Structures are given as C-alpha cells and as structure tokens.
C-alpha cells in the first residue's frame, strides 16, 4: 500500500479542499502550517468573504492578507461602515475602498443584505465593471427605478 503526503498533493486538489473551508481557517490556520501552504494560500483565488459572519476586526485583518482579485463571492450587510473598510493594495498596486467593486475582478456572487441606501448607491456605481458577475442578491432593500435601470445595463 502506498502512502501520500498531504504536502505532495497537486495544488488543484488543495484548492478543492480550500473550496470547502472557511476563509478564516484558510488564512489563519492552513496558511501558517508551512511555507508551501503559505504560497498556496497566496495563489488561491476562490475566496468567499461573508462579512455577516465576521467581526469588523476580522474583516480588517483579512483585508490585509488577501487581494480583492482573489475573492469570488462577497456578502455585505448593514452592520459594517463600508467607509471604514479599506482594501489592501491590489495586485496592480492600487489601493481602494470596498465600494470600488471593480477591484474584485473575479467576483461572481455579490449579496447585499440590508445595506443602506448610500452604500447601495456607491456599490451600484461600480457594479457594471464586474465582468464575471453571475449572481446579485439584494435583500431587505427597495430598489429604485433608477437602480433597476442601472442593473439592466449590466
């Protein structure tokens, strides 16, 4: 019987395992195991960031460990002051705020949960730049005809 070392698994298999782990576990546990896993977590580009389940301090910490380009799913709710969440330097070397959704070039799913009107408007200004967007969920918010028009133009 042959045995395989977890460290010898192909990166693609490790990515499939990461797909089933929480972002916090990947960044704060797996990443610290070895330099090999540190490099893999840095190259992994399918993070799912649910801001509803994280404390503000955890979101801030995560935002300095991953790039916006690495996030494929983002859930935002009204309990965060989106003005206070700064994105880390993107891979292109620019810094921005979470409103600049265009930095999330691989974003496929965006859920806005009871986001206030000002935050919603700022997000809508950039949402059309997300070329990979597959699903947009808006919960607990009445969308105006102007915003519907903006979404139709996507």
């Amino acid at each position: 019987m042959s045995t395989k070392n977890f460290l010898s698994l192909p990166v693609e298999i490790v990515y499939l395992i990461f797909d089933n782990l929480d972002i916090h576990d990947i960044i704060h546990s797996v990443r610290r195991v070895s330099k090999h896993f540190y490099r893999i977590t840095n190259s992994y580009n399918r993070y799912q960031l649910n801001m509803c389940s994280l404390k503000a301090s955890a979101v801030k910490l995560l935002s300095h460990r991953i790039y916006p380009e690495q996030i494929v799913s983002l859930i935002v709710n009204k309990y965060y002051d989106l003005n206070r969440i700064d994105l880390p330097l993107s891979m292109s070397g620019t810094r921005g705020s979470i409103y600049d959704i265009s930095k999330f070039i691989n974003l496929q799913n965006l859920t806005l949960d009871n986001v206030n009107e000002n935050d919603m408007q700022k997000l809508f200004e950039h949402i059309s730049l997300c070329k990979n967007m597959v699903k947009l969920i808006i919960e607990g918010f009445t969308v105006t005809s102007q915003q519907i028009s903006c979404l139709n133009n996507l």
Side-chain angles (χ1 to χ4, degrees):
M1 177 169 74
S2 72
T3 60
K4 285 281 186 181
N5 183 336
F6 189 68
L7 292 172
S8 67
L9 288 174
V11 164
E12 294 80 11
I13 302 294
V14 177
Y15 284 173
L16 290 173
I17 294 169
F18 284 1
D19 288 346
N20 293 290
L21 294 176
D22 181 73
I23 189 172
H24 184 76
D25 293 333
I26 297 169
I27 297 298
H28 296 293
S29 298
V30 175
R31 183 182 179 112
R32 295 179 179 183
V33 170
S34 68
K35 287 181 182 179
H36 177 70
F37 281 116
Y38 184 86
R39 283 191 297 275
I40 291 174
T41 59
N42 282 347
S43 65
Y44 180 66
N45 63 355
R46 298 193 299 242
Y47 286 109
Q48 299 178 32
L49 180 56
N50 181 349
M51 293 173 53
C52 300
S53 66
L54 297 172
K55 294 180 179 178
S57 59
V59 171
K60 185 172 183 167
L61 194 64
L62 284 173
S63 74
H64 293 287
R65 299 236 175 2
I66 57 175
Y67 295 113
E69 296 92 336
Q70 293 174 285
I71 297 174
V72 295
S73 178
L74 179 63
I75 300 174
V76 179
N77 69 8
K78 67 180 178 181
Y79 299 108
Y80 284 95
D81 179 359
L82 298 182
N83 287 311
R84 303 202 51 171
I85 298 173
D86 288 329
L87 298 177
L89 288 175
S90 67
M91 290 179 185
S92 63
T94 59
R95 188 178 299 276
S97 78
I98 202 161
Y99 292 125
D100 191 359
I101 206 79
S102 64
K103 299 273 191 262
F104 294 82
I105 60 173
N106 293 313
L107 190 65
Q108 297 172 5
N109 301 309
L110 175 62
T111 301
L112 304 172
D113 181 16
N114 291 303
V115 174
N116 71 48
E117 189 172 346
N118 290 334
D119 289 341
M120 183 74 74
Q121 189 60 42
K122 288 180 183 179
L123 287 166
F124 276 175
E125 290 171 11
H126 297 281
I127 206 167
S128 64
L129 300 173
C130 294
K131 303 299 182 197
N132 295 321
M133 184 76 68
V134 174
K135 183 163 65 171
L136 172 65
I137 299 172
I138 302 170
E139 298 176 350
F141 183 79
T142 304
V143 181
T144 66
S145 58
Q146 180 184 7
Q147 291 165 331
I148 289 173
S149 174
C150 175
L151 291 173
N152 281 336
N153 292 333
L154 297 177

